[in-house]
Amino acid sequence: MVNYKRIIFVSLFITILIFLAGLLLGLSLDDTRVNDIITNLNQNELNRESYLVEQDFIKNLGGGTCYLSDQRINTLSGELTKLGQLITRYEPKGILREDEYEYLKRKYFLLEIKTYTFFTTLRKECDYNFNTVLFFYDINHQESLNQGYILDSLVESKKDVHVFSLDRNFEESSLETVKFHYNISYSPSLIINDKIRKEGLASLEELKEILK
Amino acid sequence: MREIILWILSFVSLFVSLFWLQIIYLKKKNSLLKEYYPAVSILIPAHNEEKNIANSIKSILNLEYPKNRLKVIVINDSSTDKTKEIASKFKEVLVIDNKHKGIGKASALNQGLKFVNTELFAVLDSDSEVKPDSLKKLVLLFRDKKTAAAISQIKIKNSKNILTKIQRIEYILAAFIRKLMSKIDTLHITPGVLSVYRASIVKKLKNFDENNITEDLEIAMRLRYYHYNVKMNDEAITYTNAPSTFKDLWNQRIRWFRGFIQNNLKYKKLFMSKKHGLMGKIQYPLNAITFLTILLTFFLISYELIRTLYQFITKLILLKKDIFYTFKIPTLREILLNIDIKYIFPLIIAFLLSLFLLSLAYKNSKERWVLTPELLIYFSIYPILRLVHWIVAIYKETTKVKRKW
């Protein structure tokens, strides 16, 4: 007599085992993803610090402080963009890692604000002609997503544009200060070169015109 | 939502594959005895089959079966070509006309059944041929008095173009699954390409259903419903022509799938019925799950297609020619890290299991298992075509479009 209940139970058991194996693999792949983000974060912080040390050295020993090649500026900004993309892509795939991703996102936003401040200072004090765009967005918001597409394309076509994206609803006190400073209450909002404030979707043509 | 659907799909595929895999290795006693020749009537319903009918009749006349135990009846189903004339040339064949006006083959078969006075009768499609030893192998299954029908293994004889070659793979897999169903007594299909029936039981159950577009599925499910057995002997081989054009395949599949829905609804009482053993507790729920899986796959693919298309159009409107700046080729590392393995891993295992099942099916059919372009199409593009067939069939059934044979 064939025990069909046993056959069903074994099928069910092995299926569950395979699913668990998938979850375990997902967890280990998640480690790699988190490490990837951490490496990028550290690299970014190091690059920024490297410039600050260099600047400090020149300042103390006498000399111009406005020394930073375009290439280094692009590197700093490019790495930050890559970091943002990594967090956006990896976060939904995380398993039981909400706190860790929340922490990494916080670090990332802080780094964005730091770098944005740094770039804005460079623009003011030195004679750099690159452009900065501070982009405030909402998650799962179509207009913010569309603005993201436009900015991605803008950055690819105009290499002197540096975009700093901030989640308007992320709970972080320094972000609140930035929002208060620029009077941000709507998404998407853009602050272009610390002067121009745009609320609502800004088209690619419009942005190209401003950033000529 | 999409993740939940993916999980359900992979769970179902894995569970079903593992279930059948265990059935393969289930040991069952083979109690077939040799030398058993009950009287059999062969019914060949034919509608405009002047090209094939002679070959079908010849294959029947070549059967390794005592001629005095065989009766061949061709039912000419309103043919407008030379089908009747060709069939009439064979003196061993009784040719009758179908004057009923039911839909399709069922009315022709019922007309033929009036002339059946043998213990068993077989149905053979007029475009099909049988191997000489197939009937004697099938009748052995009727030693068991509970057996009401027995089916053969169908092979494709016209595997010439890519469409028929793909269907050849399908038939190999179908034969294997049917063999497994037969092993656990849940087989519920008696294809027209040589199926043998116990005449007294079919007549007791009031013959074939003339309002059904898949009378072969209906009669088998009815037999199951009334607790009779349907068996398969995969050593009995028959050959048939598969549709060689998209239009023919489309018509055939829409009919089959509508028939699947129609008959599964007709015999919905089988669902989880304890009285019907594994047919009620396993096979019918599996049919229902298959149907659910098809719907879920359709929703998932439609959602992804619409989402991707919407994103693309939005980008195109927003970026115009600058859209090309957004396309980037990812690195291998990026691809690997972007894979959501917790969803993909069960799907990969399910796919590997289905490959393994297919290789066993090839072995069972004594065919060579090689990587061919049709095999790649069978796993990549063909499921989409099948899905379209299913969705159209579901649409036609729910909107009550008139059923055509």
Side-chain angles (χ1 to χ4, degrees):
Chain A
M1 183 70 184
V2 181
N3 188 345
Y4 288 103
K5 274 187 186 163
R6 193 177 151 267
I7 291 179
I8 290 175
F9 176 76
V10 171
S11 310
L12 206 65
F13 182 71
I14 300 174
T15 305
I16 292 168
L17 272 187
I18 293 169
F19 267 74
L20 286 176
L23 277 175
L24 280 177
L25 272 173
L27 277 173
S28 64
L29 209 62
D30 228 20
D31 279 341
T32 317
R33 289 192 192 109
V34 169
N35 288 337
D36 220 20
I37 296 172
I38 292 172
T39 311
N40 271 280
L41 259 172
N42 291 342
Q43 191 62 45
N44 219 287
E45 273 186 325
L46 265 178
N47 281 345
R48 213 183 57 85
E49 219 173 287
S50 152
Y51 174 71
L52 288 177
V53 170
E54 202 176 325
Q55 206 183 32
D56 206 33
F57 177 80
I58 295 167
K59 206 175 178 179
N60 286 326
L61 297 179
T65 51
C66 294
Y67 161 72
L68 190 66
S69 71
D70 283 348
Q71 199 189 340
R72 281 189 76 176
I73 289 171
N74 287 341
T75 310
L76 274 176
S77 163
E79 278 174 355
L80 208 55
T81 309
K82 192 183 159 195
L83 189 59
Q85 287 167 347
L86 285 184
I87 293 177
T88 316
R89 273 204 306 260
Y90 293 168
E91 196 190 2
K93 297 177 183 77
I95 308 164
L96 308 169
R97 296 256 182 179
E98 273 172 42
D99 290 346
E100 211 160 345
Y101 275 106
E102 207 62 16
Y103 168 76
L104 291 171
K105 266 166 78 177
R106 195 169 176 198
K107 278 201 90 166
Y108 165 69
F109 287 137
L110 286 176
L111 197 60
E112 285 240 289
I113 296 169
K114 262 192 212 170
T115 315
Y116 171 73
T117 316
F118 174 51
F119 274 35
T120 308
T121 314
L122 276 179
R123 263 182 63 86
K124 275 182 189 161
E125 290 180 1
C126 309
D127 199 20
Y128 284 111
N129 56 1
F130 57 75
N131 298 291
T132 56
V133 178
L134 193 57
F135 167 40
F136 293 90
Y137 65 88
D138 280 2
I139 290 171
N140 296 327
H141 178 240
Q142 192 56 47
E143 235 185 335
S144 295
L145 199 66
N146 291 348
Q147 191 66 75
Y149 294 148
I150 292 171
L151 291 172
D152 279 348
S153 169
L154 185 75
V155 168
E156 288 301 321
S157 59
K158 280 179 77 68
K159 296 291 174 198
D160 62 341
V161 179
H162 305 290
V163 177
F164 302 89
S165 313
L166 297 170
D167 175 0
R168 193 171 63 93
N169 300 311
F170 193 80
E171 282 174 22
E172 162 57 44
S173 51
S174 59
L175 181 62
E176 291 302 319
T177 311
V178 178
K179 271 160 57 183
F180 180 75
H181 176 74
Y182 290 117
N183 191 19
I184 302 295
S185 57
Y186 187 85
S187 286
S189 287
L190 301 177
I191 305 295
I192 302 163
N193 292 335
D194 193 36
K195 288 177 201 151
I196 306 160
R197 186 164 155 270
K198 286 207 74 69
E199 269 190 357
L201 188 73
S203 74
L204 187 62
E205 292 78 15
E206 205 179 338
L207 290 176
K208 277 183 177 174
E209 188 59 38
I210 296 169
L211 299 169
K212 251 181 188 173
Chain B
M1 185 64 186
R2 148 177 81 142
E3 285 79 11
I4 295 170
I5 294 180
L6 254 182
W7 248 345
I8 293 173
L9 288 177
S10 46
F11 192 92
V12 169
S13 320
L14 264 177
F15 176 77
V16 173
S17 306
L18 287 165
F19 175 80
W20 287 124
L21 205 63
Q22 288 183 84
I23 301 299
I24 295 167
Y25 297 105
L26 204 65
K27 283 196 174 86
K28 267 204 144 183
K29 274 185 206 163
N30 191 350
S31 58
L32 295 182
L33 297 167
K34 281 173 188 169
E35 301 298 309
Y36 174 57
Y37 295 108
V40 184
S41 299
I42 313 273
L43 301 182
I44 311 177
H47 172 74
N48 291 343
E49 288 287 354
E50 61 179 11
K51 285 182 188 161
N52 302 309
I53 190 77
N55 284 338
S56 291
I57 295 171
K58 279 179 197 165
S59 79
I60 289 295
L61 299 177
N62 283 334
L63 280 172
E64 293 165 5
Y65 208 85
K67 298 292 174 257
N68 61 343
R69 311 294 287 159
L70 267 185
K71 184 176 173 185
V72 187
I73 305 167
V74 170
I75 309 119
N76 175 40
D77 196 6
S78 316
S79 298
T80 50
D81 63 359
K82 291 179 180 169
T83 304
K84 190 177 177 183
E85 285 169 66
I86 296 167
S88 301
K89 281 181 188 165
F90 294 89
K91 62 178 182 355
E92 302 90 339
V93 175
L94 171 67
V95 183
I96 57 168
D97 283 307
N98 176 31
K99 294 186 180 80
H100 280 219
K101 283 188 178 168
I103 49 168
K105 215 168 83 180
S107 78
L109 288 173
N110 286 343
Q111 183 73 0
L113 261 174
K114 290 177 186 167
F115 295 83
V116 171
N117 51 9
T118 48
E119 184 187 345
L120 306 178
F121 74 93
V123 174
L124 179 73
D125 282 347
S126 47
D127 61 346
S128 307
E129 291 164 33
V130 296
K131 248 179 107 172
D133 61 352
S134 53
L135 186 62
K136 71 175 183 187
K137 284 179 173 169
L138 279 181
V139 298
L140 292 175
L141 295 163
F142 288 88
R143 286 273 194 188
D144 178 358
K145 293 290 172 203
K146 285 284 283 175
T147 302
I151 69 166
S152 57
Q153 178 179 176
I154 308 164
K155 292 194 175 188
I156 287 179
K157 60 176 176 179
N158 63 331
S159 66
K160 286 169 190 163
N161 67 19
I162 192 76
L163 208 55
T164 49
K165 280 178 182 171
I166 292 167
Q167 288 174 82
R168 191 169 151 262
I169 303 169
E170 236 183 344
Y171 274 62
I172 289 170
L173 191 62
F176 189 54
I177 297 292
R178 283 171 189 171
K179 182 186 175 177
L180 299 179
M181 285 181 187
S182 176
K183 204 170 175 181
I184 59 165
D185 277 332
T186 64
L187 186 61
H188 58 288
I189 174 97
T190 47
V193 193
L194 195 67
S195 290
V196 184
Y197 301 86
R198 198 181 291 279
S200 58
I201 294 175
V202 174
K203 283 179 179 176
K204 192 174 119 189
L205 298 181
K206 294 180 181 146
N207 304 346
F208 291 92
D209 180 359
E210 294 187 15
N211 292 314
N212 208 286
I213 44 172
T214 48
E215 80 299 327
D216 47 0
L217 177 63
E218 196 282 333
I219 187 72
M221 287 192 83
R222 190 154 24 123
L223 290 171
R224 281 276 165 217
Y225 187 76
Y226 288 103
H227 307 283
Y228 293 107
N229 284 347
V230 178
K231 290 283 180 188
M232 179 188 194
N233 185 347
D234 64 331
E235 286 176 21
I237 312 285
T238 45
Y239 299 92
T240 193
N241 283 318
S244 55
T245 62
F246 275 100
K247 192 185 166 205
D248 288 347
L249 181 72
W250 178 274
N251 291 335
Q252 185 198 54
R253 295 310 160 100
I254 301 293
R255 185 172 67 80
W256 282 7
F257 297 159
R258 288 188 74 178
F260 177 92
I261 300 166
Q262 187 189 6
N263 290 309
N264 275 279
L265 286 175
K266 187 174 177 182
Y267 294 103
K268 57 180 178 290
K269 282 186 181 166
L270 282 170
F271 187 73
M272 296 308 282
S273 158
K274 285 181 182 168
K275 282 191 295 181
H276 293 89
L278 293 177
M279 182 65 205
K281 282 186 282 183
I282 293 180
Q283 191 59 58
Y284 197 97
L286 276 183
N287 288 358
I289 288 172
T290 306
F291 189 70
L292 184 77
T293 308
I294 289 158
L295 284 180
L296 285 178
T297 311
F298 172 70
F299 285 125
L300 187 68
I301 292 179
S302 307
Y303 171 78
E304 283 302 316
L305 270 178
I306 292 169
R307 197 173 66 99
T308 311
L309 201 68
Y310 177 77
Q311 273 184 1
F312 180 76
I313 292 170
T314 311
K315 275 187 182 180
L316 197 66
I317 293 167
L318 292 170
L319 308 176
K320 298 179 183 80
K321 63 179 185 343
D322 286 40
I323 192 169
F324 299 108
Y325 286 118
T326 59
F327 295 126
K328 277 181 201 160
I329 301 166
T331 62
L332 184 65
R333 185 184 163 82
E334 279 172 345
I335 293 171
L336 287 176
L337 286 177
N338 270 325
I339 292 173
D340 209 340
I341 200 78
K342 62 180 181 289
Y343 301 113
I344 302 299
F345 183 72
L347 273 181
I348 293 171
I349 300 292
F351 176 71
L352 291 176
L353 274 178
S354 60
L355 271 183
F356 180 60
L357 278 174
L358 190 62
S359 74
L360 292 176
Y362 266 78
K363 202 174 158 190
N364 178 64
S365 290
K366 297 179 180 68
E367 302 262 356
R368 259 184 72 219
W369 161 252
V370 278
L371 190 67
T372 51
E374 54 267 24
L375 196 65
L376 292 175
I377 296 171
Y378 177 78
F379 277 111
S380 54
I381 303 164
Y382 196 63
I384 298 168
L385 184 66
R386 265 180 82 93
L387 193 63
V388 174
H389 289 149
W390 267 108
I391 296 306
V392 173
I394 293 167
Y395 171 76
K396 287 191 170 183
E397 271 306 293
T398 46
T399 55
K400 309 254 183 261
V401 173
K402 197 179 172 218
R403 294 176 183 130
K404 280 189 281 185
W405 205 89

